[in-house]
Amino acid sequence: MLVHGYRDYVTFVEELRERAELAGSPLTRLRDGQDRYGPVAAILFAQRSFISVRRRGNGAILVMVWDHRGELAAWGHAPAVDDVVNTLRAWQNDVPLPQLCRDVAGYLRAGDPAAEIETLWSVLSEDGEPSLSAIVTAASANPTLRALRPWVSHGTLHLLHATDAVEGVRRGLAFHPTSGDTFMVHVYDGPIGPVQDAGAAATTAAATAATW
C-alpha cells in the first residue's frame, strides 16, 4: 500500500512497475526513453519487439504495439493505467496479438492502414523531434503526403506508400535535413534534389508521390 502523498513523486514507469508487481508479474524490461517517433512515457521490450506508451495532456494514454519488423501492429487509447499494465504484462508473457486485442486489451486497434497513418502523423506532430517540426508540419498539411506512412530513421523523415512494408519498400522518399529548416528530397532509387525550405520540399515530394 502506498503512503499518502508518495504517488505524487513516483514516475509513470515506477507506477506501472509497482502495479505489475502487485499483480504478480513484474515488468522486467520496462523503462522510459523513446521510439523512432520521439519520446515516450514508457517502453517495454519483449520477444516480439516492443510496446511504447505516450501520455497526453488531456489524460489520454496512447499505447502502440510494434512487431519484430518495427511495423505498428496495433494501437489505441487505454481507458486507465491498469489497462496499460495488463497489456504490458500480456505482451511480456508472449500472448499472441489477436488474443491480446480480443481478450486483454479491447481498446487496441489493428488492420486499419488509414487510421494507422493518422496515428503516426499525430504522434510526430505532438511528440516528434524539434528538428523535424518544420517538415512534419509542411508534409502533414499536404493531402497527398498525408496519405503516406511516415517513418523516421536516423533523424530523417521518410514517407512510404501506404501498402508497402518497411522491409520491402517500393515507393518512398526521404527529406534529408541540411542547415536550419531546409531539406533535400530524395525519391528512392532516384537522385537527391536541391536544398529547399520545408514548404517547397513538401511540394516537390507531393508532385512525385501523386504519380504513385
Side-chain angles (χ1 to χ4, degrees):
M1 185 69 66
L2 290 178
V3 176
H4 178 69
Y6 174 68
R7 189 169 297 282
D8 295 336
Y9 301 96
V10 300
T11 67
F12 185 57
V13 167
E14 289 169 337
E15 181 178 1
L16 293 174
R17 285 175 177 163
E18 178 187 74
R19 294 191 184 212
E21 289 173 1
L22 290 174
S25 182
L27 298 172
T28 56
R29 300 184 66 188
L30 182 73
R31 60 177 177 81
D32 58 10
Q34 66 179 54
D35 58 21
R36 69 174 57 252
Y37 290 91
V40 299
I43 188 167
L44 175 77
F45 291 94
Q47 294 182 13
R48 293 160 298 160
S49 194
F50 63 94
I51 291 180
S52 54
V53 183
R54 288 176 164 83
R55 303 191 79 178
R56 296 290 181 244
N58 59 4
I61 307 173
L62 176 62
V63 177
M64 307 177 79
V65 183
W66 307 85
D67 68 16
H68 67 282
R69 302 166 300 173
E71 302 269 13
L72 183 59
W75 64 96
H77 289 90
V81 174
D82 282 338
D83 295 286
V84 178
V85 173
N86 291 337
T87 303
L88 296 174
R89 291 175 61 214
W91 193 247
Q92 179 176 261
N93 293 331
D94 210 30
V95 171
L97 182 65
Q99 183 182 348
L100 179 75
C101 296
R102 182 184 67 246
D103 301 332
V104 179
Y107 65 88
L108 288 177
R109 184 175 187 176
D112 187 337
E116 173 189 339
I117 288 171
E118 279 302 304
T119 298
L120 294 175
W121 277 117
S122 70
V123 166
L124 272 177
S125 296
E126 295 188 44
D127 303 303
E129 297 295 340
S131 60
L132 294 177
S133 178
I135 194 60
V136 166
T137 299
S140 63
N142 184 292
T144 299
L145 300 183
R146 184 85 181 197
L148 303 179
R149 183 151 50 102
W151 172 261
V152 178
S153 178
H154 298 92
T156 298
L157 175 64
H158 298 247
L159 300 182
L160 315 180
H161 193 278
T163 62
D164 286 357
V166 172
E167 291 184 343
V169 176
R170 293 175 297 138
R171 293 155 295 182
L173 57 87
F175 297 97
H176 292 290
T178 54
S179 60
D181 290 331
T182 57
F183 304 85
M184 296 183 296
V185 178
H186 178 203
V187 179
Y188 292 180
D189 295 326
I192 298 178
V195 175
Q196 298 175 296
D197 63 31
T203 299
T204 297
T208 295
T211 67
W212 292 344

